């Protein structure tokens, strides 16, 4: 800011002073809900029902409980007062529990008691592993010692940055001690302000500010700040691999895919133990059941991951996109780029364990095809969930919808529940729209092609037993999936074509969602 000196105060990681009103990058005097039909209680508790207890605590801290059922109002309808509206806006930001909070004059329009309570609350929040930066208009002197860092800027230059006691010492050393009965905030703001009422006063006060700037840059306080910055830079350069490993480990622990797929793989492996080639002992049935699970389960685990992780990010992107930081679809694209490596990792664990433990066709190239198909199915499930999340707000409804679509695709498209050739024509045509049709055909051919079966023992012949209708896997393919062998490559290509198509549809759905929200 130019003109008057502008102290920026920082709490525990930061609180600041100066300016106009932002809470979490949203103006404090604008309420985060639209329309006059919302009451304070509705606007706060409806954001997330699981935070109802926290919302009540926030309303108590900000003295909103006694008016919880009052209508907020709008430009065309008189509701609560401006100060009360400001407190509702701050409360709405607190409910999102952000790691970094930017508040521009959150106490403006509040009485002394409420302003003091608000700053005390922000002080407590700043000591709970978050950064709070705020600006204050004419703060009370009692609040002076609540701030951990105070930064004063004037005409775009840093006049001072340090803790409250360092600020008093700094200006005292410059010959400007704060009088005992004066508010330090007011005294130092006036001292670092440039008076523009006349050219002479402007030159005089600007010259004084430049003296402070020069004194600060030559002070021990400034050198300590630079030393701390350099120390952090050296640490990051010395241990970039360690830091990256820690971050990746934390993300892997937070990722649902890895554990879900591993647990599912363990269950299947212990259930089947080991596949056999004896038809009497379920050689075909066990393989068909395993293919069925590998087609139907990965999309579901992908859906679980998206439903668990993306809705909170969507809520953040809704808020930050209003502030012009980025578009909603850009958050979606960033999420897609983020989950891809974790999907590869989790599916790789599942595939390696299932394929070699159960004894599928022992060939490295066929394992690669198996892994690629399971990976595509998993990613398709997550992308399909993102498409619906762009249109539907409630994650529970999204989860139910994806489960229904996946189940329908497995029944209609795989040919494992009922062969596609025996289906009515409408369902037969519908199967071509399901990705399960292509994944199941690829996995069936990948496993059964080249297999030889026995019947009742390794040396028994299948010709003498009516129950042993197949002696080779190719016979099973021709009977239940006619033409699948010739379609193997095209099935694989079509399966992977679902990925960019669904990604594009997801981005479009979020673009449409963004326009709808902007018009409200």
């Amino acid at each position: 800011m130019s003109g008057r000196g502008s102290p920026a105060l920082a709490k525990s990681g930061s609180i600041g002073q100066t300016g106009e009103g932002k809470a979490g990058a949203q103006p404090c005097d604008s309420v985060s809900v639209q329309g006059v039909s919302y009451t304070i209680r509705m606007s706060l508790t409806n954001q997330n029902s699981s935070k109802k207890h926290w919302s009540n605590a926030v309303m108590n801290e900000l003295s909103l409980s006694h008016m919880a059922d009052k209508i907020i109002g709008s430009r065309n309808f008189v509701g609560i007062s401006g100060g009360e509206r400001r407190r509702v806006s701050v409360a709405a930001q607190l409910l999102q529990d952000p790691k970094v909070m930017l508040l521009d004059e959150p106490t403006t329009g509040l009485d002394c008691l409420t302003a003091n309570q608000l700053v005390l609350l922000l002080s407590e929040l700043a000591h709970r592993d978050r950064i709070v930066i705020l600006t204050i208009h004419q703060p009370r002197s009692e609040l002076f010692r609540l701030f951990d860092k105070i930064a004063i800027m004037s005409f775009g230059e840093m006049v001072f940055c340090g803790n409250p006691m360092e600020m008093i010492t700094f200006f005292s050393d410059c010959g400007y001690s704060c009088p005992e009965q004066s508010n330090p905030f007011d005294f130092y703001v006036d001292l670092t302000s440039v008076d523009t009422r006349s050219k002479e006063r402007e030159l005089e006060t600007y010259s004084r500010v430049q003296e402070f700037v020069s004194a600060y840059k030559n002070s021990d306080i400034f050198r300590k700040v630079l030393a701390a910055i350099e120390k952090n830079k050296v640490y990051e350069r010395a241990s970039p691999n360690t830091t990256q490993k820690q971050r990746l480990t934390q993300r892997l622990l937070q990722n649902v895919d890895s554990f879900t797929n591993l647990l599912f793989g363990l269950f299947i492996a212990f259930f089947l133990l080991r596949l056999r080639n004896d038809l009497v002992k379920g050689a075909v049935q066990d393989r068909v059941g395993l293919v069925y699970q590998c087609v139907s389960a990965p999309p579901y685990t992908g859906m679980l991951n998206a439903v668990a992780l993306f809705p909170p990010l969507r809520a953040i992107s809704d808020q930050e996109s209003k502030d012009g930081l980025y578009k909603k679809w850009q958050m979606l694209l960033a999420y897609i780029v983020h989950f891809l490596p974790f999907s590869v990792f989790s599916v790789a664990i599942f595939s390696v364990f299932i394929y070699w433990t159960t004894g599928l066709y022992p060939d490295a190239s066929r394992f690669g095809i198996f892994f690629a198909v399971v990976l595509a199915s998993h990613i398709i499930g997550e992308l399909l969930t993102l498409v619906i999340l762009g249109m539907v707000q409630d994650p529970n409804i999204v989860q139910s919808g994806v489960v229904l679509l996946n189940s329908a695709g497995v029944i209609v498209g795989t040919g494992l529940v009922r062969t596609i050739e025996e289906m009515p024509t409408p369902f037969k045509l519908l199967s071509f729209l399901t990705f399960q049709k292509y994944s199941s055909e690829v996995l069936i051919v990948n496993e059964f092609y080249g297999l030889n079966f026995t019947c009742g023992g390794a040396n028994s012949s299948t010709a003498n037993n009516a129950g042993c209708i197949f002696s080779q896997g190719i016979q099973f393919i021709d009977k239940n999936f006619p033409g699948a062998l010739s379609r193997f490559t095209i099935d694989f290509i079509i399966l992977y074509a679902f990925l960019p198509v669904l990604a594009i549809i997801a981005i479009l759905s979020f673009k449409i969602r963004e326009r709808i929200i902007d018009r409200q």
Side-chain angles (χ1 to χ4, degrees):
M1 291 182 65
S2 62
R4 289 180 57 82
S6 303
L9 308 155
K11 194 74 204 136
S12 185
S14 281
I15 286 195
Q17 169 179 313
T18 166
E20 291 119 25
K22 282 191 180 178
Q26 175 173 331
C28 286
D29 57 357
S30 65
V31 182
S32 59
V33 294
Q34 304 293 327
V36 300
S37 60
Y38 284 94
T39 64
I40 293 175
R41 189 189 304 278
M42 291 171 62
S43 70
L44 297 182
T45 58
N46 284 356
Q47 291 187 20
N48 192 329
S49 58
S50 65
K51 293 187 176 182
K52 186 175 181 179
H53 177 73
W54 171 233
S55 68
N56 290 332
V58 170
M59 283 193 289
N60 289 334
E61 290 286 351
L62 297 177
S63 301
L64 294 172
S65 298
H66 68 286
M67 60 181 72
D69 296 312
K70 287 188 177 181
I71 294 176
I72 294 172
S74 67
R75 294 179 180 177
N76 302 320
F77 182 87
V78 178
I80 59 179
S81 68
E84 292 164 347
R85 188 183 287 252
R86 187 178 297 271
R87 278 183 281 160
V88 173
S89 180
V90 173
Q93 299 299 321
L94 292 178
L95 286 182
Q96 297 180 22
D97 194 25
K99 292 298 181 183
V100 179
M101 296 182 64
L102 305 175
L103 301 102
D104 195 4
E105 290 194 21
T107 59
T108 300
L110 304 182
D111 60 83
C112 293
L113 178 60
T114 305
N116 190 53
Q117 291 174 341
L118 175 58
V119 176
L120 283 172
L121 174 62
L122 294 174
S123 176
E124 293 175 3
L125 294 173
H127 287 92
R128 298 176 190 170
D129 191 27
R130 63 168 49 80
I131 296 174
V132 180
I133 303 172
L134 62 86
T135 63
I136 300 181
H137 179 64
Q138 293 181 329
R140 298 171 60 181
S141 57
E142 290 86 348
L143 303 179
F144 182 69
R145 299 183 184 277
L146 291 178
F147 300 99
D148 295 317
K149 296 289 182 182
I150 302 175
I152 303 177
M153 297 185 69
S154 184
F155 272 82
E157 294 193 77
M158 183 68 71
V159 178
F160 174 83
C161 181
N163 63 50
M165 296 309 299
E166 287 175 335
M167 185 172 71
I168 293 175
T169 302
F170 171 76
F171 284 104
S172 296
D173 292 342
C174 292
Y176 296 91
S177 299
C178 180
E180 290 186 6
Q181 303 302 321
S182 297
N183 184 342
F185 285 126
D186 292 336
F187 180 77
Y188 293 125
V189 167
D190 291 338
L191 190 62
T192 55
S193 299
V194 176
D195 190 346
T196 59
R197 290 178 295 177
S198 67
K199 192 65 177 178
E200 291 76 14
R201 289 293 300 162
E202 183 175 355
L203 291 174
E204 179 184 347
T205 53
Y206 182 76
S207 177
R208 184 176 62 196
V209 169
Q210 291 303 308
E211 290 178 6
F212 291 141
V213 171
S214 178
Y216 174 67
K217 289 182 178 179
N218 293 318
S219 67
D220 292 336
I221 302 171
F222 182 68
R223 283 190 284 272
K224 284 195 300 182
V225 172
L226 292 181
I229 295 174
E230 289 301 322
K231 183 179 179 180
N232 289 332
K233 287 182 178 179
V234 171
Y235 174 77
E236 291 180 0
R237 285 196 296 266
S239 57
N241 293 331
T242 303
T243 304
Q244 291 173 1
K245 288 178 181 178
Q246 291 174 346
R247 290 175 180 173
L248 287 173
T249 301
Q250 291 174 354
R251 288 186 176 182
L252 286 173
L253 291 175
Q254 293 174 354
N255 197 275
V256 180
D257 289 349
S258 305
F259 298 103
T260 305
N261 285 327
L262 181 59
L263 290 174
F264 178 71
L266 286 170
F267 177 79
I268 295 296
F270 283 117
F271 180 77
L272 288 176
L273 291 179
R274 193 77 179 172
L275 294 172
R276 303 179 183 182
N277 288 346
D278 193 336
L279 293 175
V280 175
K281 295 182 179 180
V284 172
Q285 180 181 355
D286 289 348
R287 283 176 170 81
V288 170
L290 182 57
V291 169
Y292 179 89
Q293 293 298 329
C294 292
V295 169
S296 60
Y300 184 73
T301 58
M303 177 272 295
L304 288 177
N305 196 57
V307 168
L309 298 180
F310 191 73
L313 296 176
R314 183 183 61 183
I316 294 173
S317 71
D318 286 346
Q319 181 61 56
E320 294 182 343
S321 62
K322 290 180 181 178
D323 304 322
L325 298 180
Y326 49 78
K327 302 293 184 181
K328 290 181 177 64
W329 66 268
Q330 291 175 321
M331 167 65 84
L332 171 69
L333 191 60
Y335 177 80
I336 292 175
V337 173
H338 165 79
F339 83 70
L340 285 177
F342 294 106
S343 296
V344 173
F345 177 80
S346 63
V347 172
I349 294 176
F350 170 80
S351 299
V352 169
F353 187 81
I354 281 291
Y355 198 91
W356 300 110
T357 302
T358 58
L360 290 168
Y361 200 102
D363 181 81
S365 62
R366 296 205 186 190
F367 165 74
I369 294 172
F370 176 86
F371 166 71
V373 170
V374 175
L375 176 63
S377 300
H378 177 87
I379 296 175
I380 288 171
E382 192 148 1
L383 289 174
L384 182 60
T385 307
L386 295 176
V387 170
I388 302 178
L389 280 170
M391 298 177 285
V392 181
Q393 186 74 14
D394 191 341
N396 295 322
I397 297 177
V398 173
Q399 181 172 339
S400 300
V402 175
V403 169
L404 180 61
L405 288 174
N406 188 48
S407 300
V410 170
I411 293 172
V412 175
T414 60
L416 299 174
V417 178
R418 182 182 182 185
T419 59
I420 295 178
E421 297 299 321
E422 296 175 355
M423 290 183 187
T425 301
F427 289 103
K428 189 182 298 185
L429 295 174
L430 188 62
S431 68
F432 288 94
L433 300 177
T434 66
F435 69 90
Q436 290 91 345
K437 169 181 170 60
Y438 309 102
S439 60
S440 61
E441 286 192 356
V442 171
L443 289 181
I444 288 292
V445 172
N446 192 59
E447 174 59 24
F448 281 86
Y449 181 72
L451 276 181
N452 295 312
F453 298 119
T454 60
C455 187
N459 299 320
S460 301
S461 172
T462 60
N464 299 325
N465 193 326
C468 301
I469 57 177
F470 302 120
S471 61
Q472 296 179 331
I474 186 67
Q475 295 173 322
F476 172 80
I477 297 172
D478 291 338
K479 178 177 176 57
N480 295 281
F481 298 87
L485 188 59
S486 62
R487 296 192 300 268
F488 182 82
T489 302
I490 192 67
D491 281 346
F492 191 86
I493 294 173
I494 294 175
L495 175 64
Y496 265 82
F498 274 86
L499 300 182
V501 170
L502 284 175
I504 292 172
I505 294 175
I507 292 174
L508 291 176
S509 71
F510 272 78
K511 279 182 171 289
I512 295 172
R513 181 170 182 268
E514 187 170 22
R515 290 186 179 182
I516 293 174
I517 293 176
D518 290 341
R519 290 176 181 176
Q520 291 179 348

